[in-house]
Amino acid sequence: MNRKTLVLPAVVGLLAPVLAACGGSGSGSGGDAIVVGTTDRFTASKDAPAPLDPAYAYDVGTWNILRQTVQTLMIQPKGEGDPVPEAAESCGFTDSGNERYACKLRDGLKFANGDSITAADVKYSIDRALAIKADSGVFALLSTIDTVETQGDREVIFHLKTADATFPFKLSTPVAGIVNPDDYEKNKLRDGFDVDGSGPYTLSADVKNDEMTNAVFTKNPNYKGTLKVNNEEVDMRSFESADDMGDALAKGDLDVMTRTMSPAQIKKLTEASDGNVDLVEMPGLEIRYLAFNTDDPGVKTKAVRQAMAQIVNRSELVSKVYGSAAEPLYSLVPASITGHSNSFFNKYGDPSVTKAKAMLTGANITTPVKLTLNYTTDHYGSATKQEFELLQKQLNASGLFDVTIKGAAWDTFVPAERKGTYEVWGMGWFPDFPDADNYLAPFLDKDNFLKLPYANAQIRTKLIPESRREADRLAAATSLTEIQDIVADDVPILPLWQGKQYVAARDNVTGTAYALNSSATLQLWELSRGVS
């Protein structure tokens, strides 16, 4: 099949004010459903029976289901930038210290079933997520909330424990989604794959053996918000592999192919010069990293983690596994985010076995150090295994490590890492919102989602709160850089690379340039049929 490539221009950020000025839900284009493919898997298990409850869900796949169906007070705009009101008519800080945040709901807001939405429903939803305190750790996004107050049916006031300039972004995440008390119990997660909200779509799920294989999104007639919904129905299908998804696109069974495509697919699509499929490359803020259980005897000594940081060759890893789809990363914060610092490169420079050996010798560590690197086989794409095979090769070739690697399916992998089973494991991070705080606090603060035992008092009690007091994120750079430098020295996490993101679509599907935003949010409402 012949293909052509489109690249989203960097000036997309300039379009942010256009969306902020728009209102109303708009009208769909009609016609048959747009069929979208993904390799994200949606499984209900004994350890995670409620994958789509906003109070539990905390990965890019489940969030992309919720962003279509559950409305939030704020939303990230089409062209990036600061969040804008969505279920709210207006929101803003009402004090100079960024500790009191007030929102006014849109008039006539309704759930998809026709029930009116009031300020009490917003309070119920936020209080519920905080009270359930799910082991996914998603509730920590709301950790700066002290109390939620309502005034009448349309006024909601958030009183914060400490200043938090990032709070508007947090209100744009699914954990802050508005749910109907009739559908979601106060102190219990909602098991299964039913989702009810006031977002642009309703959801009908096909489930087989406790796994959602197909999600049909139908335009919600009661939706009232900022989004223009350009289609009547989207059918999202989950595939076991990128190859299976690609075959479906080639056969004409798919209109759009989203994450995660393999590096080989991306290369092939990029090099094709004509045809009826377009590849759209978009800025991405995805990162990959190794996490350490710093209580585990194998990696408890800092010198072991530092030696790994000194040996890993990111450039080789990217070039041999991901090609042009990724770039080496030397901090938890991606290079395009305000506050980024190349802290790991500043400390370790180029890979050096000699320097790594000196670190281990100085700490009286016997070599080779035996370790197991764990990874998930079915969540981040088929290249993950190849990535870990190369990491294993790099570390073992030094003579300082004896590394084995072990893969596990996502529904097994996540409960194991949360229980502290692994000493070293690989993960990816798609930001909740595009701010440096969201690459630091979720990993390093109290109640971090990885359940890391690593705790640095200076980061938690001084630097994170200090950075959140700055509404001007450039002004927070000093605190943010200091956090990144501490992480580079202690190495509780080892950043590896930063990725781009892609969508492949038939050329009669429009809106693909906005099908994903930089935070990997799937924006199905942007898609329609027409002439590209």
Side-chain angles (χ1 to χ4, degrees), residues 299-467:
V299 293
K300 188 172 185 177
T301 302
K302 183 167 67 172
V304 173
R305 307 191 300 271
Q306 289 179 326
M308 290 178 68
Q310 186 65 72
I311 291 170
V312 168
N313 188 328
R314 295 168 176 82
S315 296
E316 181 187 43
L317 189 69
V318 166
S319 64
K320 289 189 175 180
V321 180
Y322 295 100
S324 62
E327 297 175 352
L329 180 64
Y330 296 93
S331 169
L332 279 174
V333 180
S336 53
I337 292 288
T338 300
H340 163 81
S341 174
N342 281 319
S343 297
F344 273 80
F345 188 82
N346 296 340
K347 180 170 180 62
Y348 300 99
D350 293 325
S352 170
V353 173
T354 301
K355 290 180 180 179
K357 183 176 182 179
M359 292 172 180
L360 295 173
T361 301
N364 295 316
I365 300 295
T366 302
T367 58
V369 178
K370 291 189 176 183
L371 295 175
T372 299
L373 271 56
N374 297 271
Y375 66 95
T376 177
T377 57
D378 61 348
H379 192 68
Y380 298 119
S382 57
T384 304
K385 181 181 179 181
Q386 185 181 351
E387 175 183 350
F388 273 74
E389 287 173 343
L390 186 52
L391 285 170
Q392 178 189 34
K393 182 179 179 180
Q394 289 180 355
L395 291 166
N396 288 351
S398 71
L400 302 175
F401 289 90
D402 180 5
V403 169
T404 58
I405 59 174
K406 185 176 181 181
W410 184 248
D411 58 352
T412 300
F413 179 84
V414 172
E417 64 93 0
R418 287 178 182 163
K419 293 174 183 176
T421 304
Y422 303 144
E423 53 187 349
V424 189
W425 67 102
M427 290 280 282
W429 179 252
F430 297 83
D432 308 322
F433 50 88
D435 186 276
D437 179 86
N438 194 240
Y439 288 90
L440 300 172
F443 301 91
L444 305 170
D445 210 352
K446 181 183 177 183
D447 295 322
N448 66 82
F449 88 104
L450 287 175
K451 314 296 182 188
L452 294 179
Y454 173 80
N456 183 286
Q458 186 179 12
I459 290 176
R460 291 186 177 183
T461 63
K462 179 180 181 290
L463 297 175
I464 289 177
E466 191 174 86
S467 69

